[in-house]
Amino acid sequence: MTSTAGSTTPTHPSERSRRVRRFTRAERLVHRATAALMLLCVGAAACLYFSPLAQLVGRRHLVVVVHEWSGILLPAPYLLGLASSAFRADLRKLNRWARHDTEWLRAVRRGWTSPALRPAGKFNAGQKIYAGWIAGAVPIMMFTGLLMWFTGLLPVISRTNAIFVHDVTALAIALVVLGHIRLAYRDPQARSGMRTGIVDRAWARREHSEWLQEDRRRTGSP
């Protein structure tokens, strides 16, 4: 028997066989840093837009600075993560739409819950759509935010228009992120995978069957 990192309790071989590695440390750090910056940016925005929160927090100038710089730094974890081959491989998976993704969406629309009817790779269709949405919305937020910050940056676009697009996109991002957090809260195994990098093989077989088969072929595991 062996012990897992950070633990003095031996791990039985049969227990190891029931688990599968899902994310590397680099991928988890990218996710944590991005999540922290996103929550900081959204939280600061809420303090700026809602009077009760603004009065509770105070120090408006500091909140503005936190909001601006957390937004500007938001792409930084992603750019640093590109140094990881595992992270780049996952980006390719997120950007590739497969036949089983269409089947997964059809099953969700019709309320089918059987794992056999909801096949998914490492990322299901919902996660791919979420990633695509965030990837498109963040540049819009940065662009309109810079137009609000530097009013003479692009004179053909008025500050009023920039504020409108920024606010509408911000509201949409907040709703989508809240939905993402809610789904993660309902799935302890998904949170475990992002926290420790390892998930139960039974969960992987149920929720990401295509990925588990691919992992078996790659590692030669049973």
Side-chain angles (χ1 to χ4, degrees), residues 43-122:
C47 292
L48 293 172
Y49 278 91
F50 298 105
S51 297
L53 287 177
Q55 294 172 6
L56 179 65
V57 175
R59 306 190 67 177
R60 180 178 176 85
H61 177 69
L62 177 60
V63 175
V64 169
V65 171
V66 169
H67 177 68
E68 290 172 343
W69 283 102
S70 60
I72 289 174
L73 292 174
L74 197 54
Y78 166 84
L79 295 175
L80 292 173
L82 293 176
S84 165
S85 59
F87 182 70
R88 294 196 303 272
D90 274 358
L91 287 180
R92 288 192 291 271
K93 291 182 176 68
L94 281 168
N95 289 326
R96 186 180 302 125
W97 191 267
R99 179 179 297 178
H100 56 255
D101 294 318
T102 303
E103 295 176 11
W104 189 93
L105 280 179
R106 183 186 303 115
V108 170
R109 289 198 304 269
R110 298 183 180 181
W112 297 340
T113 58
S114 172
L117 300 176
R118 296 177 69 163
K122 187 170 186 178

Side-chain angles (χ1 to χ4, degrees), residues 143-144 146-148 150-159 161-162:
F143 178 66
T144 54
L146 288 172
L147 290 179
M148 294 161 58
F150 304 102
T151 53
L153 187 63
L154 199 60
V156 294
I157 300 178
S158 70
R159 192 172 189 274
N161 290 336

Side-chain angles (χ1 to χ4, degrees), residues 134-213:
I134 292 296
V138 167
I140 292 175
M141 291 295 292
M142 291 186 65
F143 178 66
T144 54
L146 288 172
L147 290 179
M148 294 161 58
W149 193 356
F150 304 102
T151 53
L153 187 63
L154 199 60
V156 294
I157 300 178
S158 70
R159 192 172 189 274
T160 301
N161 290 336
I163 292 174
F164 175 77
V165 174
H166 193 83
D167 290 355
V168 171
T169 308
L171 178 59
I173 287 179
L175 293 175
V176 171
V177 169
L178 285 174
H180 178 69
I181 294 173
R182 178 174 177 269
L183 290 174
Y185 179 79
R186 292 169 54 185
D187 194 338
Q189 273 297 307
R191 297 200 309 275
S192 175
M194 192 52 71
R195 186 177 64 254
T196 67
I198 298 173
V199 295
D200 289 344
R201 191 173 292 274
W203 176 86
R205 184 182 300 110
R206 183 178 68 252
E207 300 292 339
H208 299 273
S209 56
E210 297 290 329
W211 167 63
L212 184 59
Q213 292 177 19

Side-chain angles (χ1 to χ4, degrees), residues 11-59:
T11 302
H12 194 276
S14 63
E15 292 180 0
R16 294 201 306 273
S17 67
R18 293 198 296 267
R19 312 205 73 187
V20 59
R21 178 164 294 281
R22 182 162 171 81
F23 295 114
T24 64
R25 185 183 183 189
E27 292 173 292
R28 301 198 306 275
L29 287 175
V30 169
H31 183 270
R32 291 172 188 174
T34 302
L37 286 170
M38 177 67 78
L39 291 176
L40 192 60
C41 188
V42 172
C47 292
L48 293 172
Y49 278 91
F50 298 105
S51 297
L53 287 177
Q55 294 172 6
L56 179 65
V57 175
R59 306 190 67 177

